[in-house]
Amino acid sequence: RLANAVTPLWRLPYQEQLQVKYESQRKILQTLTSCLEELGIDAQKAGGLCCPLQPVVPSPIINGYRNKSTFSVNRGPDGNPKTVGLYVGTGRGRNIVCVKANHVENIPSKHKQVAQCYEEFISCSPLDSCILFHEGGHWRELVVRTSSCGHTMAIITFHPQQLGQEALATQKALLREFFTRGPGAVCALTSLYFQESTMTRCSHEQSPYQLLHGAPHIFEELLGLKFRISPDAFFQVNTAGAEVLYQAVGELCQATEDTVLLDICCGTGEFLSSQSFAFQSWSSLLSKVIGVEVVEKAIEDAEWNAEFNGISNCEFHSGKAEAVLPQLLASWEDARPLVAVVNPSRAGLHSRVVRAIRNCRSIRSLLYISCKPEGEAMRNFLELCCPPDPRKKLAGEPFAPVLAIPFDMFPHTVHCELVLLFTR
């Protein structure tokens, strides 16, 4: 049941998985085409789609490709309230259970090992797991991050409830002892973090990640460059797939020596740095690179990554894109052409971000990378392409989709990363 829920395509041969994803991306483009037609735009091109759809680009690695996994703590099928795994069931159906992820094919063995050791630790703890905040309990989720450099970071979320500082210090010491000298030492963690959180999700600014052991960061190599990654920084979960994605996106940018690359939702700067500067020819082709990212630690990582890799012609802006970008582009008087790359979360871009892009005449090309193009991203597509609309303050010339390329960043799942190239 867990494999079917988390990796529903796992029984299919890989080529059949790619075909299933191609058909789903085709349906998404058909929906976009129909919506554009409803706006009075003659969108149908060859094949009845608004732009050509290329075959799905396969992932170089099919099994165990995830470099980040999040495990929950809850009741298992046997009733054990300290089971560490992934959820099966729904809250509405009141049939949620937490199942060990031992047989899930997209999770690497190292992540499963850390999850098993964490379960062993909390099973011996006198403190309860925190299933419902108001019912008490302390032990919560586990995040494991790994890299191709052999680094392993574990982040344990803990609900403090009414515990004092002395009791919290005791638990942190026990965790450190278990994973450095006890049975958990087999995991060979290079970083062990602890976060006290009374919320479902908590940023570093809201509640700092406390380093209990090891180095504050893990490091990854991408397209020959080195990247520093903080506990809550975004990094593509499929490193090998990201290399293929970024190489293709770089080619689609068609940059010249006058081009300024604007990366919105830039994460740790892996696109900015790896794609824009992985090859010496790129550093001479691009005039400047600008990154915008909401997570402050990710910006710190991006700045470190740029400096470490000898990249000098880029700048990073910390803050929500909807707050930073309009002001940044409104004051843009540079004659150099702008190429924008956006890689938002599943929630898509804020309407103010779309408006700022539409109304900036210097942006002639836009690459939209979406992990859920059928969701809120569809609204973004329509706002980018619709006729000028004074009510929405969309005054700039509309974009038009010219090419769609799906990338399989998530084998065995139904998800796909769709790259849409818009021009005007």
Side-chain angles (χ1 to χ4, degrees):
R1 285 180 59 197
L2 178 62
N4 290 339
V6 177
T7 52
L9 303 183
W10 70 279
R11 295 181 187 275
L12 294 180
Y14 189 54
Q15 288 303 315
E16 291 186 28
Q17 292 187 30
L18 295 178
Q19 187 59 36
V20 168
K21 295 189 180 192
Y22 177 83
E23 294 301 328
S24 68
Q25 299 304 303
R26 182 175 178 82
K27 289 179 181 177
I28 290 168
L29 278 191
Q30 286 174 337
T31 300
L32 175 58
T33 304
S34 298
C35 291
L36 291 174
E37 293 278 343
E38 291 175 4
L39 293 173
I41 301 170
D42 184 14
Q44 289 199 30
K45 311 298 181 186
L49 300 177
C50 56
C51 65
L53 174 63
Q54 293 193 0
V56 180
V57 179
S59 172
I61 300 174
I62 301 173
N63 295 323
Y65 56 83
R66 293 190 64 91
N67 56 40
K68 179 182 179 182
S69 298
T70 301
F71 300 97
S72 299
V73 179
N74 211 311
R75 291 184 181 86
D78 60 355
N80 175 15
K82 294 183 175 180
T83 301
V84 177
L86 307 177
Y87 285 144
V88 171
T90 63
R92 180 178 296 178
R94 296 183 179 181
N95 58 357
I96 290 179
V97 290
C98 194
V99 182
K100 294 184 181 182
N102 296 345
H103 303 292
V104 178
E105 295 189 357
N106 62 351
I107 297 179
S109 57
K110 171 62 74 174
H111 295 200
K112 298 171 183 177
Q113 180 187 49
V114 178
Q116 180 59 43
C117 285
Y118 179 50
E119 181 175 310
E120 181 180 342
F121 173 81
I122 65 175
S123 67
C124 297
S125 171
L127 301 182
D128 294 332
S129 57
C130 180
I131 296 176
L132 296 174
F133 291 2
H134 66 278
E135 291 184 355
H138 301 277
W139 299 113
R140 292 182 53 200
E141 71 179 22
L142 163 74
V143 174
V144 183
R145 303 188 76 153
T146 50
S147 73
S148 60
C149 302
H151 301 158
T152 303
M153 175 187 289
I155 307 159
I156 291 169
T157 307
F158 183 90
H159 198 305
Q161 301 292 356
Q162 306 303 318
L163 291 182
Q165 289 303 310
E166 185 176 344
L168 286 169
T170 297
Q171 295 307 314
K172 288 185 276 190
L174 289 171
L175 267 173
R176 185 188 306 111
E177 177 69 19
F178 179 86
F179 278 105
T180 57
R181 297 184 182 88
V186 68
C187 299
L189 297 181
T190 53
S191 303
L192 174 61
Y193 274 98
F194 182 86
Q195 186 187 42
E196 301 164 28
S197 175
T198 59
M199 296 178 282
T200 303
R201 285 288 181 271
C202 200
S203 69
H204 174 78
E205 288 72 31
Q206 293 168 315
S207 180
Y209 290 93
Q210 303 170 46
L211 182 65
L212 303 185
H213 163 73
H217 310 93
I218 60 173
F219 293 86
E220 184 58 277
E221 291 185 0
L222 197 70
L223 293 172
L225 298 179
K226 189 173 184 178
F227 295 89
R228 188 181 85 176
I229 304 172
S230 293
D232 59 344
F234 170 79
F235 202 90
Q236 289 282 0
V237 299
N238 182 341
T239 304
E243 289 190 307
V244 176
L245 172 66
Y246 295 151
Q247 282 178 322
V249 168
E251 294 170 3
L252 290 171
C253 283
Q254 296 182 330
T256 69
E257 59 185 7
D258 294 327
T259 299
V260 176
L261 178 66
L262 176 63
D263 186 8
I264 305 165
C265 318
C266 69
T268 56
E270 73 265 27
F271 173 74
L272 290 175
S273 303
S274 65
Q275 184 46 63
S276 304
F277 303 100
F279 309 104
Q280 287 187 348
S281 59
W282 268 92
S283 60
S284 61
L285 281 176
L286 279 167
S287 173
K288 190 175 184 179
V289 184
I290 302 172
V292 179
E293 168 61 39
V294 66
V295 180
E296 291 184 13
K297 286 295 181 181
I299 286 291
E300 292 177 15
D301 288 345
E303 291 173 340
W304 186 94
N305 294 334
E307 182 178 356
F308 181 86
N309 290 290
I311 301 164
S312 59
N313 57 342
C314 61
E315 64 183 55
F316 301 95
H317 298 265
S318 176
K320 292 183 178 180
E322 59 268 26
V324 174
L325 193 66
Q327 184 177 358
L328 182 68
L329 293 182
S331 60
W332 188 264
E333 297 179 356
D334 201 312
R336 292 172 295 181
L338 273 169
V339 174
V341 177
V342 298
N343 187 8
S345 66
R346 293 186 179 187
L349 294 174
H350 193 282
S351 58
R352 289 205 295 267
V353 175
V354 177
R355 188 187 309 153
I357 293 172
R358 269 288 298 259
N359 297 342
C360 180
R361 296 181 180 179
S362 297
I363 299 178
R364 309 306 300 173
S365 297
L366 169 68
L367 280 157
Y368 195 120
I369 307 171
S370 176
C371 59
K372 193 177 181 182
E374 72 277 17
E376 287 300 305
M378 186 65 69
R379 172 181 53 83
N380 293 161
F381 302 157
L382 298 177
E383 290 176 343
L384 288 166
C385 299
C386 70
D389 187 342
R391 294 174 304 169
K392 295 183 178 181
K393 299 181 181 179
L394 297 172
E397 178 188 351
F399 286 86
V402 294
L403 183 64
I405 309 177
F407 290 80
D408 185 20
M409 301 287 284
F410 318 101
H412 305 304
T413 77
V414 296
H415 303 296
C416 215
E417 202 92 356
L418 181 64
V419 176
L420 264 173
L421 173 61
F422 296 89
T423 63
R424 59 178 177 181

